[in-house]
Amino acid sequence: MKKILLLLIAITASSVATLAAEHRVNKAADGIRKEIHLIKEIKGKRLRHVTRASEEGKGVVSTLRYEQLPDMKTPRLSHQSFPSGNGIVVVGGRTTGFALTNTAEIYRNGKWQSIDIASPHDGAFSVELNDGRVMVGGGFSSNNGVGQSRFTDIYDPKTNLFSAGPNLSVARAEAKAINLNGKVYVSGNWYADDTVIDCYNGSKFSSVGAMNGHSNPYMLTDQDGNLIVLSSYDTKGQSTGLYTDYDGTKYFVGVSYNPATNQASLYGFPSTFSPMALTDDVRTTNYQMTQEGVNYYMILCSRNGKPVLYVYDGDDIYDIGVDLPVKSSTGATIAWRGGVFINKAKEEIYIIGTSGTNTNQSVHIISLSFEGAWTIASASGFSHNLQTASWTLTSDGRLACTGGSINDNTDAQRKAYIFAPPTAGETYNDTPGPAGSGPRLVVWKKSGEKVTYDLHHAPITTFSNDKLVIRTNKTTVTYSRKDVLRYTYEQVSATGIELQPGEREVQVNIDGDEVTFRGLKAGAVAKVYGVNGVLISQHTAVAGQPLTVSIKNRPSGVYIVKADTESIKLMKK
């Protein structure tokens, strides 16, 4: 019994018998053999559900924790991003005005640092080489998404430098790549021919095999070591449609390429298999898992408007049978991104979606365990479209999100975030816990101070008039943006979060009509103002003792508590 998903789906030995057959179809691209390997049936069995909320596997709803990073140096859209050690590298894309940018940068040690790179890569591909370096290649050759590029650049994480790589044999944009036994295969294009595959043998690219024209295709392998290339869209963004078997049965068809013989043939899946379009930032390694020599690919599809996750094991395809939500807890329709991320260490699958408007957007992340438990976590109040951003799984299992747009291809954004997907089957909600424990918001100040808030009601954070504004249904906290390095949502213990030498933590617990400060410097003053700006009272901190400010005995209304650079608005009912 194979360990990973065959175990999870509890498939018997007899059920994994190959149902594929060799048939002919009535349509095939030139240069591709018309014989087709058909998977005639989508198999499936429900995963074993172990969620806390429901024995029927309905999952649980949670609050999505995230951290806003400093803005990138360059606004970006349609760029590549990937982890490097403890950092995040972003490369190319288009910047303001739909213009190419031959820039790259890395986020580490709390800031973005520029990296020199020779070529722009807007709508490019990226792939990890056997030696740990990352190749970035192709993309549009001119502004406004025009033309295609042959250029590649290779990033070395040991030196944090890019060097020029070999040119592609075919100029490409909106292509994808896969590392297969040390060789890199590239396929796909946009408004240009995609009739051959590019193969990099470690020194140069050459054209091999044949292809029938895809954009941003899935790059898979079967159990015989053949390359499988498939996409729902051709090089002009039109549906690739279905192929018809000799008996009239329709199939979703890709291309199978045999590296040993240099022959290509058609490869068909049942017609109900309809993969969601991949975005520029998705790599095969995002959705591939290898166990005991078998590659498993998690492919997100759309069926009757609902997201469906299939597993392809190189021989058969399985519907895992988990009903993923199409609406958020507020009733908003969720748009899911094509492609998934597999956290191999935690054995979880992450699916990303958004809802709302481009200027007031919510982000939703589903964590699905190999056991079948799932949690959907949401956060709101984002001021641009994170559906169009570049996402990558970081080395610590979080999801970094960089750039994006608001309305179109001309307004690329600088913003960057790191999201902490929930643990599948668990929930992080707004239930109050002991002071100093549970989910908290942490504001990291440029002075080295960290201020942590026990906000028991899921906060909304926005930037307004150069201020960081944190709102719940009971309070509002305001910071001057110039004083804030970043802010995070973290699960912290009663002993507080870990501090680095020289750093100081201030804990703020907001509980109804009281605010308690812990860790203020001796002599620090907390002042209470009425909404009209009149000073009502002031309180001085004593070293080693908490300072509590209360408005319990005040009339109903709005009060402002100011301490250092924090401004906290309380509403007395």
Side-chain angles (χ1 to χ4, degrees):
M1 214 55 166
K2 296 181 177 69
K3 181 179 179 183
I4 177 180
L5 290 165
L6 296 187
L7 171 64
L8 306 175
I9 304 172
I11 302 171
T12 65
S14 60
S15 70
V16 297
T18 301
L19 296 179
E22 295 293 335
H23 292 295
R24 295 184 178 274
V25 294
N26 62 5
K27 182 179 179 182
D30 292 339
I32 300 176
R33 291 185 301 166
K34 295 183 180 181
E35 291 185 350
I36 178 171
H37 181 89
L38 293 179
I39 297 176
K40 301 195 69 175
E41 177 183 348
I42 292 179
K43 307 179 72 65
K45 194 170 185 179
R46 282 194 174 273
L47 300 182
R48 181 165 51 88
H49 296 294
V50 291
T51 60
R52 293 180 182 177
S54 169
E55 293 181 357
E56 298 178 355
K58 294 181 180 179
V60 292
V61 178
S62 183
T63 299
L64 180 59
R65 296 171 297 160
Y66 67 93
E67 166 186 348
Q68 182 167 6
L69 304 180
D71 288 353
M72 295 183 294
K73 292 178 177 293
T74 302
R76 298 180 191 274
L77 175 65
S78 191
H79 56 289
Q80 296 294 301
S81 61
F82 49 85
S84 176
N86 293 322
I88 305 162
V89 177
V90 295
V91 184
R94 67 191 70 131
T95 189
T96 306
F98 212 144
L100 300 180
T101 175
N102 59 334
T103 63
E105 49 192 301
I106 183 171
Y107 177 77
R108 61 184 181 185
N109 300 325
K111 62 181 180 180
W112 291 97
Q113 305 166 32
S114 296
I115 310 173
D116 291 335
I117 187 170
S119 307
H121 293 288
D122 172 21
F125 68 84
S126 60
V127 61
E128 185 173 345
L129 306 180
N130 277 13
D131 59 8
R133 296 181 300 159
V134 179
M135 175 183 286
V136 181
F140 297 108
S141 58
S142 303
N143 294 342
N144 301 309
V146 175
Q148 301 81 28
S149 169
R150 296 176 184 268
F151 298 131
T152 71
D153 290 275
I154 299 178
Y155 173 75
D156 188 340
K158 296 178 181 178
T159 62
N160 193 35
L161 296 174
F162 277 96
S163 59
N167 286 350
L168 296 163
S169 64
V170 174
R172 298 179 184 272
E174 306 291 359
K176 292 287 187 235
I178 186 173
N179 183 336
L180 181 56
N181 300 322
K183 292 184 178 181
V184 172
Y185 294 89
V186 183
S187 182
N189 217 335
W190 187 251
Y191 274 79
D193 288 340
D194 179 35
T195 57
V196 294
I197 302 170
D198 258 305
C199 177
Y200 172 62
N201 62 5
S203 60
K204 66 177 182 178
F205 277 100
S206 59
S207 296
V208 299
M211 192 49 57
N212 62 356
H214 295 116
S215 62
N216 274 332
Y218 289 80
M219 307 283 278
L220 321 172
T221 57
D222 67 16
Q223 291 188 9
D224 294 324
N226 299 317
L227 172 64
I228 310 296
V229 181
L230 55 94
S231 175
S232 297
Y233 298 95
D234 64 18
T235 56
K236 294 185 178 180
Q238 302 299 311
S239 173
T240 53
L242 299 175
Y243 286 79
T244 305
D245 193 13
Y246 69 93
D247 62 358
T249 305
K250 294 183 180 298
Y251 290 93
F252 179 91
V253 173
V255 173
S256 171
Y257 169 69
N258 186 331
T261 65
N262 197 35
Q263 295 293 317
S265 59
L266 293 173
Y267 195 98
F269 295 86
S271 61
T272 53
F273 177 72
S274 179
M276 289 187 182
L278 293 179
T279 49
D280 293 327
D281 54 332
V282 177
R283 290 178 291 279
T284 298
T285 49
N286 295 155
Y287 55 88
Q288 174 186 317
M289 180 91 175
T290 303
Q291 292 251 350
E292 299 179 358
V294 177
N295 293 324
Y296 298 88
Y297 301 92
M298 319 316 181
I299 302 175
L300 189 63
C301 297
S302 177
R303 187 172 65 200
N304 299 323
K306 295 182 178 181
V308 178
L309 189 63
Y310 290 124
V311 180
Y312 173 64
D313 67 0
D315 193 21
D316 280 302
I317 189 165
Y318 302 92
D319 177 353
I320 66 172
V322 173
D323 296 326
L324 301 176
V326 294
K327 291 186 180 296
S328 70
S329 58
T330 63
T333 299
I334 302 174
W336 296 106
R337 296 180 100 237
V340 303
F341 291 91
I342 302 176
N343 185 329
K344 300 171 181 65
K346 291 187 68 176
E347 296 191 338
E348 290 182 333
I349 302 162
Y350 303 141
I351 306 172
I352 302 167
T354 58
S355 65
T357 67
N358 284 344
T359 56
N360 185 18
Q361 191 169 90
S362 295
V363 173
H364 313 276
I365 296 179
I366 291 177
S367 293
L368 172 66
S369 76
F370 289 179
E371 311 274 306
W374 63 267
T375 294
I376 179 170
S378 305
S380 59
F382 297 95
S383 59
H384 74 288
N385 188 354
L386 300 188
Q387 182 86 204
T388 60
S390 180
W391 292 74
T392 191
L393 187 67
T394 65
S395 57
D396 61 2
R398 295 183 295 169
L399 288 166
C401 171
T402 54
S405 63
I406 295 179
N407 295 314
D408 52 35
N409 285 311
T410 65
D411 57 1
Q413 299 293 298
R414 298 177 185 268
K415 290 186 174 65
Y417 302 89
I418 291 186
F419 293 86
T423 298
E426 296 184 4
T427 183
Y428 305 97
N429 55 33
D430 60 0
T431 303
S437 67
R440 291 194 292 178
L441 180 138
V442 184
V443 177
W444 308 63
K445 299 168 67 174
K446 292 180 179 178
S447 63
E449 187 177 58
K450 297 178 182 178
V451 185
T452 62
Y453 288 91
D454 291 318
L455 298 176
H456 301 318
H457 299 267
I460 297 175
T461 51
T462 59
F463 283 107
S464 176
N465 297 324
D466 292 325
K467 294 185 182 299
L468 168 63
V469 183
I470 306 162
R471 292 186 178 90
T472 74
N473 59 355
K474 288 192 175 183
T475 189
T476 300
V477 182
T478 304
Y479 277 91
S480 173
R481 187 170 181 175
K482 65 181 178 61
D483 295 323
V484 176
L485 177 63
R486 55 195 171 103
Y487 63 89
T488 66
Y489 291 103
E490 298 186 2
Q491 186 80 9
V492 283
S493 66
T495 59
I497 60 178
E498 181 181 355
L499 297 178
Q500 299 299 321
E503 292 180 338
R504 186 170 64 88
E505 181 187 14
V506 175
Q507 297 180 10
V508 184
N509 181 41
I510 303 174
D511 188 6
D513 299 332
E514 290 186 344
V515 181
T516 299
F517 299 90
R518 292 177 175 84
L520 285 177
K521 293 179 180 178
V525 177
K527 297 180 180 181
V528 180
Y529 295 87
V531 71
N532 56 2
V534 174
L535 178 65
I536 296 174
S537 64
Q538 61 183 36
H539 312 264
T540 303
V542 177
Q545 296 183 19
L547 174 63
T548 298
V549 176
S550 176
I551 59 170
K552 283 185 175 180
N553 298 323
R554 298 286 175 184
S556 298
V558 177
Y559 297 86
I560 309 296
V561 179
K562 291 188 176 182
D564 198 4
T565 59
E566 294 96 68
S567 177
I568 302 170
K569 181 187 294 184
L570 298 177
M571 288 164 279
K572 175 69 183 298
K573 295 182 178 180

